[in-house]
Amino acid sequence: MAIEINQQQPPQEVGLSRIAVSETHGEDSPYFAGWKAYDENPYDESKNPSGVIQMGLAENQVSFDLVEKFLEQHCEASSWGNKISAFRENALFQDYHGLLSFRKAMASFMEQIRGGRANFDPDRVVLTAGATAANELLTFILADPGDALLVPTPYYPGFDRDLRWRTGVKIVPIHCDSSSNFQITPQALEDAYNNAESMNIKVRGVLITNPSNPLGLTIQRSVLENLLDFVTSKNIHLVSDEIYSGSVFSSSEFVSVAEILQARNYRDSERVHIVYSLSKDLGLPGFRVGTIYSYNDKVVTTARRMSSFTLISSETQHLLASMLSDREFTQNYIQTNRERLRKRYEMIIQGLSKAGIECLAGNAGLFCWMNLSPLLETPTRDGELSLWNSILGEVKLNISPGLSCHCSEPGWFRVCFANMSEQTLEIALERIQEFMGRRSSE
């Protein structure tokens, strides 16, 4: 029997929590608006060739065939076969420490990515459902509502959601600019810290991404040394999100904060925490696999307790433990993936250069940092937003404007290149070149 609801009078609005009605999620950012535009009119080579090409998604598909090949050759990794006892054991597994075999495999994989220059203890690996959960969980542990983390700009637009929305923690920007290739300077650090103090905001830590998203650039050793000295002098934490560490085009060009600590005999290491995930390097965002690696015993213990809200399925752990424990596979994957990403990066840089567009010289990641400031009608955020709307509406390319990354200089854009085929990238570059040709003739 149908239930009739009397709607003669408008229903009284029912109150919700502060989190539910908060605007700190960041969903109104152009970063997410571009995704919506793509979802409404997605490019397809045969079905919708005039659709929007998604260049705002940092996803790695260039080496997915290697993962597929491994699974074809190792069916036992993704199935239980006749081992009913193994199925039962994993189906009933609920320990929020995670499978020891997977934590060992993850620690080993992180060491391989860093060329064996840093060691990781599986007992300090805390598993989370992706890097998003890892960063939020760490923020809950390190800071109270109203406190702040210092984050260098430009930064990943999702941090506005990940670090602020549910935690109540603020982000105070460390303003970096093109004069220093957007590297973090000692003066910028001090200015950000003093700015927070002037607003009576307690700073609890610095959060960096290394390699940087959106810059596609590794942080220099000297900068990391200075960061460690800075957080030690202020008695605050350092979170290093190294989710793209395996996507550096050459292993020697990446220095992990773990290497710096090891060289210092782990002095002051209790304030350092590393975030990692398999979403980017291994191209498995749908598996939701992230880790927190902390040198602080209390943080490890608390993070493990809190990870019960963000667990990874035991079947996923079982599969990936098998994959990452295969040394032949991981060595080949890491090397091949680096080479393919470098080739793809060179392809987009050359294509943009042909159109007369310059980019920040990068050495990592799934994107480039493109400078379109000469095209701005006015050197302002509004001018950048107007140009972005033209590229999205006329050229049918979704790229991420610098303002969504809180870049202090208008005219910079993040352009992703690894989430599509080379053929689609060629079409995207052709569209950009045609757009630039029209602009130059106006």
Side-chain angles (χ1 to χ4, degrees), residues 55 214-216 249 341-371 412-417 425-426 429 432-433:
M55 305 188 83
L215 301 178
F249 307 148
L341 287 175
R342 177 188 290 277
K343 178 183 176 183
R344 191 64 69 88
Y345 173 79
E346 291 171 350
M347 178 181 174
I348 192 170
I349 292 299
Q350 291 171 6
L352 292 174
S353 178
K354 185 178 178 180
I357 299 173
E358 295 183 351
C359 297
L360 181 74
N363 62 357
L366 315 176
F367 32 74
C368 62
W369 190 235
M370 178 174 70
N371 183 10
W412 291 90
F413 294 80
R414 190 192 75 167
V415 186
C416 300
F417 55 75
L425 181 56
E426 287 173 355
L429 290 170
I432 293 175
Q433 290 162 6

Side-chain angles (χ1 to χ4, degrees), residues 252-271:
S252 61
E253 295 180 14
F254 173 67
V255 179
S256 170
V257 69
E259 297 175 47
I260 306 294
L261 289 177
Q262 201 160 304
R264 294 185 175 197
N265 293 319
Y266 300 101
R267 188 177 73 253
D268 298 313
S269 61
E270 71 281 351
R271 67 185 70 253

Side-chain angles (χ1 to χ4, degrees), residues 241-418:
D241 185 334
E242 301 184 357
I243 190 173
Y244 292 99
S245 52
S247 299
V248 183
F249 307 148
S250 173
S251 174
S252 61
E253 295 180 14
F254 173 67
V255 179
S256 170
V257 69
E259 297 175 47
I260 306 294
L261 289 177
Q262 201 160 304
R264 294 185 175 197
N265 293 319
Y266 300 101
R267 188 177 73 253
D268 298 313
S269 61
E270 71 281 351
R271 67 185 70 253
V272 178
H273 324 281
I274 296 173
V275 169
Y276 185 60
S277 166
L278 299 180
S279 295
K280 308 302 182 182
D281 293 344
L282 211 57
L284 299 174
F287 275 29
R288 309 310 306 150
V289 176
T291 65
I292 293 170
Y293 190 90
S294 177
Y295 296 87
N296 186 307
D297 292 342
K298 289 184 178 179
V299 170
V300 171
T301 299
T302 307
R304 195 157 279 149
R305 290 170 179 166
M306 294 180 72
S307 70
S308 60
F309 296 100
T310 173
L311 297 176
I312 307 167
S313 76
S314 55
E315 184 172 2
T316 299
Q317 294 183 54
H318 169 80
L319 186 157
L320 293 175
S322 176
M323 183 181 295
L324 298 185
S325 297
D326 189 316
R327 195 79 173 185
E328 182 179 352
F329 166 77
T330 54
Q331 287 180 340
N332 177 64
Y333 181 91
I334 292 170
Q335 179 180 349
T336 304
N337 185 57
R338 292 189 196 279
E339 293 170 353
R340 290 180 179 181
L341 287 175
R342 177 188 290 277
K343 178 183 176 183
R344 191 64 69 88
Y345 173 79
E346 291 171 350
M347 178 181 174
I348 192 170
I349 292 299
Q350 291 171 6
L352 292 174
S353 178
K354 185 178 178 180
I357 299 173
E358 295 183 351
C359 297
L360 181 74
N363 62 357
L366 315 176
F367 32 74
C368 62
W369 190 235
M370 178 174 70
N371 183 10
L372 293 184
S373 59
L375 298 185
L376 299 183
E377 293 182 2
T378 57
T380 62
R381 290 170 58 89
D382 287 341
E384 178 180 291
L385 195 58
S386 176
L387 179 59
W388 173 75
N389 277 314
S390 294
I391 294 173
L392 183 61
E394 298 173 26
V395 192
K396 295 294 191 295
L397 298 178
N398 175 37
I399 60 178
S400 303
L403 63 89
S404 67
C405 305
H406 300 271
C407 183
S408 57
E409 296 180 15
W412 291 90
F413 294 80
R414 190 192 75 167
V415 186
C416 300
F417 55 75

